[in-house]
Amino acid sequence: MSVPERPKRPLNGMRHIAFRVNDLEACERFYTDLLGMEVLFRPHHNLVYLTLGNDNLSLSRDLQGAVKAEGGTLDHFGFVVDNVEELNQWYHYLRSAEVPMVSAPHDHQDGARSFYCLDPAGNTVQPIYHPAISGQTFSSTGDHQS
């Protein structure tokens, strides 16, 4: 069996991630109150979808006990900021809110700058400035042109 040719149009980025969490309410507060996400949709009390307008974060209550005690189930994920000054502001803001920090802001070899912190479920969150992707704007739904 031959593999079909990849579509000519590439994927348009990773804008959805889903977590199973032990404390749904604490995680929702972290992403809404501290990071500024908004509730997009709450189908029921064990599931909520959050957004910053161009993405989708799903938080579901772990009912099977599958969540690890520490570290979550992936290495980390990032939220892009538009410049280094904003990155530093986020670091000081989250630190003052007593969010557990994994690292201080630091430079990467590719020109990026980031830091790592933990959400209430123990997932590693990376606020990041990256010259290749920071500052991008997205069209609203329906404005996408082929």
Side-chain angles (χ1 to χ4, degrees), residues 19 24 41-49 58-61:
F19 290 117
L24 179 64
F41 179 54
R42 187 186 314 274
H44 50 77
H45 70 280
N46 289 321
L47 180 63
V48 64
Y49 293 96
S58 168
L59 299 174
S60 64
R61 191 181 314 276

Side-chain angles (χ1 to χ4, degrees), residues 22-40:
N22 289 321
D23 189 338
L24 179 64
E25 292 75 18
C27 286
E28 181 179 341
R29 282 190 304 275
F30 175 83
Y31 289 102
T32 57
D33 295 352
L34 293 178
L35 297 187
M37 296 188 88
E38 295 180 3
V39 173
L40 182 65

